[in-house]
Amino acid sequence: MRRILVAALTCAVLAMGIGRVRAEGPGLQTTVADPKGAEEVWKLEGKRRAALIAGDLKTLDELCADEMTYTHTNGTMDTKKSYLESLRSGVRYEAMDLSDVTISHFDNTVVIVGLARISVKSPRGPIGFQARFTDVWAKQQGRWRFVAWQTTRMPE
């Protein structure tokens, strides 16, 4: 009886530490495993993607850390400055739908991983693909900031 009680209490404690959040915002069609303390970052991630699709560079500039890196599926890497410049000069994200998302919270860092279906219009033409992604946010001077994005293209 005591073992059953201990097992039940252990399960209850673990369940309190991990929440389930219905994904909200543009391009989110999945349930997300979201640990306690990462809810604010998940909302900011939705705001980042909405700004990206809307071409709202002011919001993107505010959300991105100065040290941000954005690694594309072809292996090229942008800094915050070069990434925002590419968006100013004609690259336009039309969709970024996330699925199979898992969020891990480590003190002042949140790591989001999952699948993304991305549609982009560039000066060279439209691009559409599915990729695995890693998205990193860090708390800097009391604010959560977007610090890194890395994608690996999936076979179609």
Side-chain angles (χ1 to χ4, degrees):
M1 181 66 168
R2 186 172 184 192
R3 286 184 188 169
I4 293 171
L5 181 58
V6 169
L9 286 172
T10 301
C11 289
V13 168
L14 289 172
M16 289 188 322
I18 299 174
R20 301 291 289 181
V21 174
R22 179 72 185 152
E24 298 174 7
L28 299 176
Q29 306 298 322
T30 188
T31 300
V32 177
D34 185 9
K36 276 190 142 180
E39 300 88 353
E40 180 183 1
V41 172
W42 182 238
K43 287 178 184 174
L44 289 169
E45 173 53 32
K47 184 177 178 179
R48 183 192 72 82
R49 282 180 290 104
L52 187 61
I53 292 165
D56 180 355
L57 300 183
K58 182 178 185 287
T59 298
L60 287 171
D61 185 46
E62 292 169 1
L63 291 172
C64 294
D66 291 338
E67 310 83 6
M68 186 271 293
T69 59
Y70 198 102
T71 306
H72 301 273
T73 59
N74 63 5
T76 60
M77 187 179 78
D78 276 312
T79 62
K80 176 181 178 176
K81 182 179 177 182
S82 65
Y83 185 65
L84 293 175
E85 185 54 42
S86 72
L87 296 172
R88 277 187 202 92
S89 53
V91 173
R92 172 117 172 119
Y93 283 77
E94 295 185 315
M96 187 178 285
D97 300 322
L98 306 184
S99 62
D100 298 332
V101 174
T102 302
I103 303 173
S104 301
H105 185 195
F106 308 96
D107 297 324
N108 291 322
T109 305
V110 171
V111 178
I112 305 170
V113 297
L115 290 172
R117 166 68 54 196
I118 301 171
S119 297
V120 179
K121 267 192 183 172
S122 77
R124 294 176 294 223
I127 304 165
F129 57 91
Q130 183 170 329
R132 292 224 176 260
F133 72 89
T134 301
D135 177 4
V136 182
W137 291 73
K139 199 165 215 177
Q140 297 177 326
Q141 299 172 344
R143 282 183 56 207
W144 286 105
R145 307 294 297 273
F146 176 68
V147 296
W149 177 267
Q150 167 107 32
T151 49
T152 302
R153 192 180 293 238
M154 301 290 292
E156 293 294 325

Coordinates of all heavy atoms in Angstrom, one line a residue, residues 26 49 52-54 91-97 117-122 126-127:
P26 N -0.6 32.5 -34.9 CA -0.5 32.2 -36.3 C 0.4 31.0 -36.5 O 1.5 30.9 -35.9 CB 0.2 33.4 -36.9 CG 0.1 34.5 -35.9 CD -0.1 33.9 -34.6
R49 N 6.9 35.0 -34.6 CA 6.5 34.4 -35.8 C 5.4 35.3 -36.5 O 5.4 35.5 -37.7 CB 6.0 33.0 -35.7 CG 7.2 32.1 -35.6 CD 6.9 30.6 -35.4 NE 6.3 30.4 -34.1 CZ 5.0 30.2 -33.8 NH1 4.2 30.1 -34.8 NH2 4.6 30.0 -32.6
L52 N 7.2 38.2 -38.0 CA 7.9 37.7 -39.1 C 7.0 37.7 -40.4 O 7.4 38.2 -41.5 CB 8.6 36.4 -38.8 CG 9.5 35.8 -39.9 CD1 10.7 36.7 -40.1 CD2 9.9 34.4 -39.4
I53 N 5.9 37.1 -40.2 CA 4.9 36.9 -41.3 C 4.3 38.3 -41.7 O 4.1 38.6 -42.9 CB 3.8 35.9 -41.0 CG1 4.5 34.5 -40.9 CG2 2.7 35.9 -42.0 CD1 3.6 33.5 -40.2
A54 N 4.1 39.2 -40.8 CA 3.6 40.5 -41.0 C 4.6 41.5 -41.6 O 4.3 42.6 -42.0 CB 2.9 41.1 -39.8
V91 N 13.0 39.5 -48.8 CA 12.7 38.2 -48.3 C 11.4 38.3 -47.4 O 11.3 39.1 -46.5 CB 13.8 37.6 -47.5 CG1 13.4 36.2 -46.8 CG2 15.0 37.4 -48.3
R92 N 10.4 37.5 -47.7 CA 9.1 37.6 -47.0 C 8.6 36.2 -46.6 O 8.4 35.3 -47.4 CB 8.1 38.2 -47.9 CG 6.7 38.3 -47.4 CD 6.2 39.7 -47.2 NE 4.8 39.6 -46.9 CZ 4.4 40.1 -45.7 NH1 5.1 40.6 -44.9 NH2 3.1 40.0 -45.5
Y93 N 8.5 36.0 -45.3 CA 7.9 34.8 -44.8 C 6.4 34.8 -44.9 O 5.8 35.8 -44.5 CB 8.3 34.6 -43.3 CG 9.8 34.1 -43.1 CD1 10.8 35.0 -43.3 CD2 10.0 32.8 -42.8 CE1 12.1 34.6 -43.1 CE2 11.3 32.3 -42.7 CZ 12.4 33.3 -42.8 OH 13.7 32.8 -42.7
E94 N 5.9 33.8 -45.5 CA 4.4 33.8 -45.7 C 3.8 32.8 -44.7 O 2.6 33.0 -44.3 CB 4.1 33.3 -47.1 CG 4.5 34.3 -48.2 CD 4.1 33.9 -49.5 OE1 4.2 32.7 -49.9 OE2 3.6 34.8 -50.2
A95 N 4.5 31.8 -44.2 CA 4.0 30.9 -43.2 C 5.1 30.3 -42.4 O 6.2 30.0 -43.0 CB 3.1 29.9 -43.9
M96 N 4.9 30.0 -41.2 CA 5.8 29.2 -40.4 C 4.9 28.5 -39.4 O 4.6 28.9 -38.3 CB 6.8 30.1 -39.6 CG 7.8 29.3 -38.9 SD 9.1 30.3 -38.1 CE 10.1 30.8 -39.5
D97 N 4.5 27.3 -39.8 CA 3.6 26.4 -39.0 C 4.4 25.4 -38.2 O 5.2 24.7 -38.8 CB 2.6 25.7 -39.8 CG 1.7 26.6 -40.6 OD1 1.4 27.7 -40.1 OD2 1.4 26.3 -41.8
R117 N 6.9 23.9 -40.9 CA 6.5 24.0 -42.3 C 6.7 25.5 -42.6 O 6.0 26.3 -42.1 CB 5.1 23.5 -42.5 CG 4.5 23.8 -43.9 CD 5.1 23.1 -45.1 NE 5.2 21.7 -45.1 CZ 5.9 21.0 -46.0 NH1 6.6 21.7 -46.9 NH2 6.0 19.7 -45.9
I118 N 7.6 25.8 -43.5 CA 7.9 27.2 -43.8 C 7.7 27.5 -45.3 O 8.1 26.8 -46.1 CB 9.4 27.5 -43.4 CG1 9.6 27.2 -41.9 CG2 9.8 28.9 -43.7 CD1 11.0 27.2 -41.4
S119 N 7.1 28.7 -45.5 CA 6.9 29.2 -46.9 C 7.5 30.6 -46.9 O 7.2 31.5 -46.1 CB 5.5 29.3 -47.3 OG 4.9 28.0 -47.3
V120 N 8.4 30.8 -47.9 CA 9.2 32.1 -48.0 C 9.1 32.6 -49.4 O 9.2 31.7 -50.4 CB 10.6 31.9 -47.6 CG1 11.4 33.2 -47.7 CG2 10.8 31.4 -46.2
K121 N 8.9 33.9 -49.6 CA 9.1 34.5 -50.9 C 10.4 35.2 -50.9 O 10.6 36.1 -50.0 CB 7.9 35.4 -51.3 CG 6.8 34.8 -52.0 CD 5.9 35.9 -52.5 CE 4.7 35.2 -53.2 NZ 3.7 36.2 -53.6
S122 N 11.3 35.0 -51.8 CA 12.5 35.7 -51.9 C 12.7 36.3 -53.3 O 11.9 35.9 -54.2 CB 13.7 34.7 -51.6 OG 14.0 33.9 -52.7
P126 N 9.7 31.7 -54.9 CA 9.1 31.1 -53.6 C 9.8 29.8 -53.2 O 10.4 29.1 -54.0 CB 7.7 30.7 -54.1 CG 7.7 30.6 -55.5 CD 8.8 31.5 -56.0
I127 N 9.9 29.6 -51.9 CA 10.5 28.4 -51.3 C 9.6 27.9 -50.3 O 9.0 28.6 -49.5 CB 11.8 28.8 -50.6 CG1 12.8 29.6 -51.5 CG2 12.5 27.6 -50.0 CD1 13.9 30.3 -50.8

